[in-house]
Amino acid sequence: MKYFIDVEQGFPRSRQHFVAKVKATLTDPRSWNVPFEEVTKADEADIRIFLVRSSTIKNICNFSGLSCADRSTRNIYINGYRWLYGSKRSKMNLDDYRSHVINHEVGHLLGLDHLKCSGKAGKKAPVMLQQTLGVGKCLPNPFPTTAERNLVKR
Protein backbone atom coordinates (compact mmCIF):
# COMPACT_ATOMS: atom_id res chain seq x y z
CA MET A 1 0.00 0.00 0.00
CA LYS A 2 1.51 3.30 -1.09
CA TYR A 3 1.35 6.21 1.34
CA PHE A 4 2.20 9.90 1.16
CA ILE A 5 3.07 12.00 4.22
CA ASP A 6 2.92 15.76 4.70
CA VAL A 7 2.74 18.39 7.41
CA GLU A 8 0.32 21.29 7.21
CA GLN A 9 2.04 24.51 6.20
CA GLY A 10 2.92 26.60 9.24
CA PHE A 11 2.85 23.69 11.67
CA PRO A 12 5.59 24.39 14.23
CA ARG A 13 7.38 21.04 13.99
CA SER A 14 9.59 19.44 11.41
CA ARG A 15 8.19 17.33 8.61
CA GLN A 16 11.27 15.10 8.84
CA HIS A 17 10.44 13.90 12.38
CA PHE A 18 6.81 13.18 11.48
CA VAL A 19 7.80 11.28 8.32
CA ALA A 20 10.34 9.21 10.26
CA LYS A 21 7.79 8.24 12.93
CA VAL A 22 5.09 7.29 10.42
CA LYS A 23 7.55 5.21 8.43
CA ALA A 24 8.93 3.50 11.55
CA THR A 25 5.42 2.67 12.75
CA LEU A 26 4.12 1.30 9.46
CA THR A 27 7.21 -0.84 8.84
CA ASP A 28 7.34 -2.18 12.40
CA PRO A 29 6.61 -5.93 12.32
CA ARG A 30 3.99 -5.37 15.06
CA SER A 31 2.01 -3.07 12.76
CA TRP A 32 -0.54 -4.09 10.11
CA ASN A 33 0.25 -7.14 7.98
CA VAL A 34 0.26 -4.97 4.86
CA PRO A 35 3.34 -4.01 2.84
CA PHE A 36 3.67 -0.21 2.98
CA GLU A 37 5.69 1.92 0.59
CA GLU A 38 6.26 5.66 0.92
CA VAL A 39 5.82 7.75 -2.22
CA THR A 40 6.76 11.39 -2.75
CA LYS A 41 3.71 12.46 -4.76
CA ALA A 42 0.25 12.58 -3.21
CA ASP A 43 -1.49 11.49 -6.42
CA GLU A 44 0.54 8.24 -6.46
CA ALA A 45 -0.60 7.24 -2.96
CA ASP A 46 -3.32 4.87 -1.83
CA ILE A 47 -3.48 6.79 1.44
CA ARG A 48 -2.30 10.25 2.49
CA ILE A 49 -1.27 11.04 6.07
CA PHE A 50 -1.23 14.67 7.21
CA LEU A 51 -0.12 16.27 10.46
CA VAL A 52 -2.46 19.23 10.92
CA ARG A 53 -3.56 21.87 13.41
CA SER A 54 -6.52 21.20 15.67
CA SER A 55 -8.52 23.85 13.79
CA THR A 56 -8.05 21.90 10.54
CA ILE A 57 -9.39 18.74 12.23
CA LYS A 58 -12.47 20.68 13.31
CA ASN A 59 -13.04 22.02 9.78
CA ILE A 60 -12.51 18.71 7.98
CA CYS A 61 -13.73 16.13 10.50
CA ASN A 62 -16.44 18.22 12.22
CA PHE A 63 -15.14 17.46 15.71
CA SER A 64 -12.14 18.39 17.82
CA GLY A 65 -9.66 16.77 20.16
CA LEU A 66 -8.99 13.65 18.09
CA SER A 67 -7.45 12.62 14.78
CA CYS A 68 -9.56 11.26 11.92
CA ALA A 69 -9.54 9.18 8.76
CA ASP A 70 -11.72 10.02 5.77
CA ARG A 71 -12.48 6.78 3.94
CA SER A 72 -13.89 8.57 0.89
CA THR A 73 -10.72 10.61 0.22
CA ARG A 74 -8.33 8.05 1.77
CA ASN A 75 -6.84 10.88 3.87
CA ILE A 76 -5.72 10.67 7.48
CA TYR A 77 -5.51 13.82 9.58
CA ILE A 78 -3.33 13.54 12.67
CA ASN A 79 -4.20 16.08 15.34
CA GLY A 80 -1.13 18.27 15.86
CA TYR A 81 -1.93 19.10 19.47
CA ARG A 82 -2.21 15.42 20.35
CA TRP A 83 0.96 14.72 18.34
CA LEU A 84 2.86 17.18 20.50
CA TYR A 85 1.31 16.37 23.88
CA GLY A 86 -0.34 12.94 23.66
CA SER A 87 -3.20 11.93 25.93
CA LYS A 88 -2.84 11.20 29.63
CA ARG A 89 -6.02 9.13 29.46
CA SER A 90 -4.29 6.75 27.02
CA LYS A 91 -1.72 5.89 29.72
CA MET A 92 0.97 5.76 27.00
CA ASN A 93 4.25 7.60 26.71
CA LEU A 94 4.36 10.05 23.79
CA ASP A 95 6.24 7.75 21.41
CA ASP A 96 3.80 4.86 21.93
CA TYR A 97 0.85 7.23 21.72
CA ARG A 98 2.04 8.45 18.31
CA SER A 99 2.35 4.85 17.08
CA HIS A 100 -1.14 4.15 18.35
CA VAL A 101 -2.67 7.11 16.52
CA ILE A 102 -0.97 6.19 13.25
CA ASN A 103 -2.01 2.54 13.50
CA HIS A 104 -5.55 3.43 14.62
CA GLU A 105 -6.21 5.83 11.74
CA VAL A 106 -4.60 3.54 9.16
CA GLY A 107 -6.82 0.78 10.54
CA HIS A 108 -9.87 2.81 9.52
CA LEU A 109 -8.59 3.00 5.94
CA LEU A 110 -8.02 -0.74 6.04
CA GLY A 111 -11.75 -1.09 6.72
CA LEU A 112 -11.88 -1.42 10.49
CA ASP A 113 -14.24 0.37 12.86
CA HIS A 114 -13.82 1.21 16.54
CA LEU A 115 -13.57 -1.64 19.01
CA LYS A 116 -14.12 -1.80 22.74
CA CYS A 117 -11.99 -3.09 25.57
CA SER A 118 -12.94 -6.69 26.26
CA GLY A 119 -13.44 -5.83 29.91
CA LYS A 120 -10.86 -8.37 31.02
CA ALA A 121 -8.37 -6.63 33.28
CA GLY A 122 -4.80 -6.89 32.04
CA LYS A 123 -5.63 -7.69 28.41
CA LYS A 124 -4.05 -5.50 25.69
CA ALA A 125 -6.43 -2.90 24.29
CA PRO A 126 -7.23 -3.25 20.60
CA VAL A 127 -5.52 -0.53 18.57
CA MET A 128 -8.98 0.28 17.16
CA LEU A 129 -10.11 1.30 20.65
CA GLN A 130 -10.06 5.10 20.92
CA GLN A 131 -7.29 4.97 23.50
CA THR A 132 -7.01 8.76 23.43
CA LEU A 133 -10.24 8.70 25.45
CA GLY A 134 -9.00 6.00 27.86
CA VAL A 135 -8.35 2.26 27.96
CA GLY A 136 -10.76 1.09 30.65
CA LYS A 137 -9.56 -2.15 32.25
CA CYS A 138 -7.32 -2.94 29.28
CA LEU A 139 -3.61 -2.26 29.00
CA PRO A 140 -2.49 0.52 26.64
CA ASN A 141 -1.39 -0.84 23.28
CA PRO A 142 0.05 1.07 20.29
CA PHE A 143 -0.06 -1.81 17.78
CA PRO A 144 -2.82 -3.99 16.31
CA THR A 145 -3.62 -7.21 18.09
CA THR A 146 -3.34 -10.49 16.22
CA ALA A 147 -7.14 -10.57 15.97
CA GLU A 148 -7.18 -7.10 14.40
CA ARG A 149 -4.42 -7.99 11.96
CA ASN A 150 -6.43 -11.03 10.91
CA LEU A 151 -9.46 -8.83 10.13
CA VAL A 152 -7.58 -6.95 7.41
CA LYS A 153 -8.38 -8.24 3.93
CA ARG A 154 -5.22 -8.71 1.92
Side-chain angles (χ1 to χ4, degrees), residues 32 71 100 103-109 111-116 125-131 141 143-145 148 151:
W32 299 106
R71 288 180 175 161
H100 160 71
N103 279 314
H104 179 92
E105 299 305 336
V106 168
H108 284 307
L109 296 190
L112 302 179
D113 293 319
H114 290 141
L115 296 174
K116 295 181 180 181
V127 80
M128 294 311 296
L129 174 71
Q130 289 179 292
Q131 295 180 53
N141 178 32
F143 288 94
T145 63
E148 288 172 302
L151 290 172

Side-chain angles (χ1 to χ4, degrees), residues 21-32 92 95-104 124-129 131 139-149:
K21 181 60 181 173
V22 171
K23 189 176 205 171
T25 298
L26 294 179
T27 59
D28 189 300
R30 298 170 293 171
S31 190
W32 299 106
M92 284 185 247
D95 191 58
D96 282 350
Y97 178 77
R98 289 172 174 171
S99 293
H100 160 71
V101 171
I102 293 162
N103 279 314
H104 179 92
K124 280 186 180 180
V127 80
M128 294 311 296
L129 174 71
Q131 295 180 53
L139 297 174
N141 178 32
F143 288 94
T145 63
T146 301
E148 288 172 302
R149 289 168 52 107

